[in-house]
Amino acid sequence: MYPLLFRSVLARMDPESAHHAAVIVIRVLGIPPFSWVARALTRPAPALRTTALGLSFDSPFGVAAGFDKDVAAAQGLHALGFGHVEVGTVTAVAQDGNPRPRLFRLIPDRAVINRMGFNNRGAEAAAVRLAKLRRRSRRAVLGVNIGKSRVVDVADAAADYVRSATLLAPLADYLVVNVSSPNTPGLRGLQSVQTLRPLLQAVRDAAGQTPLLVKIAPDLPDDEVEAIARLAVDLGLSGLIATNTTISRDGLRTDPAIVAAAGEGGLSGAPLKRRAVEVLRLVRATVPPEFVVISAGGVETAADVRERLDAGATLVQGYTAFLYRGPLWARQINRGLARLGR
């Protein structure tokens, strides 16, 4: 039924409005008894259980940052069968993000362009919601993705990240430093190893015992991908997420006029798949076996997840295909993985 609903209703709605409507439904699914029923229908097979970052994941497949920016839908996403939920991106200072419209579907490509700009209620509000979730006996594994506040100069980025880390690391199962979104001015420049080293050191010290990862862009040259991977290992980080959205528009099937009208922003979805796999292989070849690598970008089917795991991913994340596959997407992935032998 979902493809019919998407074509006849959701595809005609403003993408951001459709997302907010979906979040309302998912939030309801996170409340008992709805959560009990949903989880009973979607619970991953025991064989999919995965251990990483000192944590136990019901499935290696989870939700990437961006879907649940304000820790509003994590329990509902868990009820739908995802093995973990990465919330955020959260910034130290609450911000509205970029002006709307800022989210665009490229339906022929099964892709999305977004220039949301880290719209969120800020780290203090996120900490309150995370504290409530921590008190639940049954909950999702929660990663927290942190980014730079727009009002903070790039030169002061480290202190801004440390403020978020200090508030959120004690409440997170793992913490992610996002230096790779294309929608905050100057942010991607922080991926330079010379700039990134002191920033990651500062956040690492603030995070304490919470596992820390860094998320990188797919648009980096191969040698820079390898350099950041080596830096993450050298600094004692727990892992790396490859990759964020891309600024490339190569090879799209969508009418060029529609792509041009969407404008700037990060492209996610199926067109990112090839480069995401390439970056995954580069990182895995650079880091030791115990170093956690989370693969994201262009993931839609169980076969895609299986390919990432075979290429060395410890965990896999998705987001954009949720729009095209619907609420039973994680259930489809998990059942397919079980058939494929994990």
Side-chain angles (χ1 to χ4, degrees):
M1 293 294 293
Y2 183 79
L4 176 62
L5 175 66
F6 179 80
R7 291 193 302 269
S8 59
V9 179
L10 298 179
R12 301 173 187 271
M13 293 178 64
D14 168 71
E16 189 169 348
S17 297
H19 174 78
H20 289 315
V23 167
I24 292 172
V25 175
I26 293 169
R27 289 182 69 177
V28 172
L29 290 175
I31 302 170
F34 305 108
S35 60
W36 302 337
V37 175
R39 189 66 179 176
L41 293 171
T42 65
R43 183 179 290 109
L48 297 183
R49 188 169 296 278
T50 302
T51 300
L53 302 171
L55 304 164
S56 179
F57 297 78
D58 290 340
S59 164
F61 182 60
V63 183
F67 191 96
D68 186 10
K69 294 178 180 295
D70 286 307
V71 203
Q75 283 301 100
L77 291 166
H78 177 252
L80 287 174
F82 290 96
H84 69 280
V85 179
E86 189 173 308
V87 299
T89 297
V90 178
T91 55
V93 180
Q95 54 190 43
D96 294 331
N98 292 319
R100 296 178 66 167
R102 53 194 180 180
L103 185 65
F104 308 88
R105 302 184 193 93
L106 306 185
I107 294 176
D109 291 290
R110 300 182 74 80
V112 163
I113 291 174
N114 95 82
R115 52 170 175 273
M116 303 299 287
F118 291 168
N119 54 304
N120 74 105
R121 296 179 183 178
E124 290 185 3
V128 170
R129 293 194 171 187
L130 285 166
K132 290 180 180 178
L133 285 178
R134 294 281 292 189
R135 292 194 288 268
R136 297 198 178 192
S137 58
R138 296 181 180 180
R139 62 172 179 84
V141 173
L142 290 169
V144 180
N145 185 298
I146 60 174
K148 186 185 79 68
S149 305
R150 182 178 289 266
V151 296
V152 173
D153 290 336
V154 172
D156 300 319
D160 186 62
Y161 279 95
V162 165
R163 180 180 170 190
S164 293
T166 301
L167 285 166
L168 299 172
L171 303 168
D173 291 316
Y174 69 87
L175 194 70
V176 180
V177 175
N178 185 349
V179 288
S180 50
S181 170
N183 300 318
T184 296
L187 187 74
R188 283 192 166 195
L190 295 174
Q191 292 178 111
S192 164
V193 169
Q194 292 79 6
T195 307
L196 190 58
R197 178 180 288 274
L199 188 154
L200 290 179
Q201 286 175 322
V203 178
R204 179 200 62 194
D205 294 344
Q209 298 302 308
T210 302
L212 182 65
L213 298 85
V214 61
K215 187 170 186 176
I216 64 172
D219 308 303
L220 293 169
D222 290 358
D223 61 337
E224 293 186 23
V225 169
E226 293 167 342
I228 293 175
R230 287 192 294 269
L231 173 65
V233 174
D234 182 54
L235 292 178
L237 269 60
S238 298
L240 181 149
I241 301 181
T243 65
N244 210 319
T245 58
T246 179
I247 58 175
S248 172
R249 301 291 187 267
D250 294 341
L252 297 179
R253 293 181 292 175
T254 301
D255 183 339
I258 294 176
V259 177
E264 296 181 347
L267 174 74
S268 61
L272 186 53
K273 176 180 177 178
R274 183 180 62 82
R275 180 56 181 166
V277 173
E278 290 176 351
V279 175
L280 166 62
R281 294 184 187 278
L282 279 170
V283 172
R284 178 45 74 198
T286 305
V287 301
E290 66 276 10
F291 190 81
V292 170
V293 182
I294 302 178
S295 182
V299 174
E300 183 164 348
T301 67
D304 292 333
V305 178
R306 177 73 267 170
E307 179 186 23
R308 305 301 172 93
L309 295 172
D310 289 343
T314 315
L315 301 167
V316 181
Q317 294 178 341
Y319 174 176
T320 301
F322 206 159
L323 283 68
Y324 296 105
R325 290 275 179 165
L328 295 180
W329 181 39
R331 179 177 182 265
Q332 295 164 2
I333 294 282
N334 290 326
R335 291 197 169 192
L337 284 176
R339 287 194 299 269
L340 293 169
R342 163 69 172 75

